[in-house]
Amino acid sequence: MKWITRERPKIDRIACPWLIKRFIDPEAEIIYVPFPEVISQAEHLHAIPFDIPGVEYTHYQGQCTFDYFLKKHHLTDPALDRIAAIVRGADTDRPDFAPQAAGLEAIFSGLAHNIKDDQELLRFGLIIYDGLYSWAQHLYHLKHTQAGPAEQMLLELFNKYIQKKGNQKTPDWVKELKELIQDQIDTNLSLTLKDLSKDLDINPSYVSREFSRYFDNLSYGDYIRKLRIERSIELLKSSSCSLTEIAYLTGFSDQSHFTRIFKQQTWETPSGYKKNLRKSKNDPNS
């Protein structure tokens, strides 16, 4: 098979050929031509055009051509999904999709600057994506600083103190995630952060790592428990529901679970809290 796209490839136009050669057609021929010639040359050479507007293999709804290849050819390898998030982030200037996206974009910008022959650039690109695939299969869960406690400590200090000094705009995904979490609390659903990351179409490991920065310095689980306790306090103040009913309405498995978490966060039991509310209402001096 022949595949054709516009010249001077950088991200998607190297990632897609790598995907074709490694998982779809090892003998595929990749052709690069000037953009105005892609369609005419595709007809002349009986090649399949990709990564240009108006053809089947292209961008759709915020996703890049690499994503479409995965969907079209039913490639369900989790490692390819990890690479897809990185490619999408690099190709659409959305590094929030995956922390590696900015690095991938920088690497291929530099290679494209140094290498003027598109086929030579592709050969280098194939090697880089082979390495990225091995990382996505076996090494994605490791951090570079795991081997060095001092480096890890410095990185944590940087994230905690220095980065906060910048007046950085809150990412759009944070606002969307807050709305999803609030919907979860309101409807008494129980979703994992991985589930919510799929709705956001963002790498779950990235969301997990960045979560506490935007959510009161709490982990996802602690933040959900905090919201549930806040909701239970509202119900204790304003409703006649029993403690068992409040436990159910706020997403706890049973009254015992509700009581234990409530006491952890407020230093008193729900029943004790309710008694104190009654006392304060009946006390004319309160």
Side-chain angles (χ1 to χ4, degrees), residues 6-17:
R6 50 202 167 97
E7 62 184 353
R8 306 308 301 140
K10 194 168 70 170
I11 305 295
D12 224 3
R13 283 168 289 141
I14 293 179
C16 291

Side-chain angles (χ1 to χ4, degrees), residues 50-228:
F50 68 95
D51 202 45
I52 64 169
V55 301
E56 179 184 3
Y57 290 88
T58 190
H59 289 220
Y60 293 96
Q61 299 177 343
Q63 295 195 325
C64 62
T65 308
F66 191 91
D67 292 296
Y68 183 76
F69 269 97
L70 293 182
K71 181 179 178 180
K72 173 71 174 181
H73 294 274
H74 308 289
L75 300 173
T76 58
D77 184 345
L80 294 179
D81 290 336
R82 295 184 186 102
I83 293 176
I86 299 170
V87 171
R88 189 186 317 122
D91 198 54
T92 61
D93 196 24
R94 287 288 305 275
D96 51 307
F97 283 144
Q100 299 81 12
L104 187 72
E105 196 281 331
I107 288 170
F108 278 104
S109 289
L111 285 175
H113 177 79
N114 293 338
I115 302 173
K116 305 306 179 185
D117 181 273
D118 290 348
Q119 292 298 329
E120 183 182 359
L121 182 57
L122 175 60
R123 286 192 291 273
F124 273 92
L126 294 178
I127 295 171
I128 289 172
Y129 276 103
D130 283 341
L132 186 59
Y133 182 64
S134 293
W135 169 85
Q137 282 184 303
H138 310 294
L139 308 170
Y140 65 93
H141 59 287
L142 299 178
K143 294 181 180 180
H144 172 68
T145 51
Q146 280 182 326
E151 291 92 337
Q152 180 66 32
M153 181 180 68
L154 289 171
L155 182 61
E156 289 175 355
L157 287 171
F158 174 79
N159 288 331
K160 186 174 182 180
Y161 297 109
I162 300 177
Q163 284 189 340
K164 288 183 179 179
K165 291 183 178 180
N167 295 320
Q168 296 180 344
K169 181 182 176 183
T170 301
D172 290 338
W173 68 264
V174 173
K175 300 173 185 176
E176 293 179 40
L177 182 55
K178 285 184 178 179
E179 292 176 0
L180 289 171
I181 289 174
Q182 191 58 55
D183 288 342
Q184 179 183 171
I185 297 299
D186 293 341
T187 57
N188 197 18
L189 291 174
S190 181
L191 299 175
T192 66
L193 191 57
K194 187 175 182 180
D195 294 329
L196 296 173
S197 298
K198 288 181 180 179
D199 290 336
L200 296 170
D201 200 20
I202 298 180
N203 188 292
S205 61
Y206 174 79
V207 177
S208 178
R209 184 168 57 253
E210 294 294 303
F211 186 89
S212 63
R213 289 183 57 194
Y214 302 102
F215 292 86
D216 303 338
N217 290 319
L218 297 172
S219 68
Y220 174 70
D222 288 340
Y223 184 75
I224 292 294
R225 284 187 283 274
K226 172 177 173 288
L227 293 185
R228 286 176 173 168

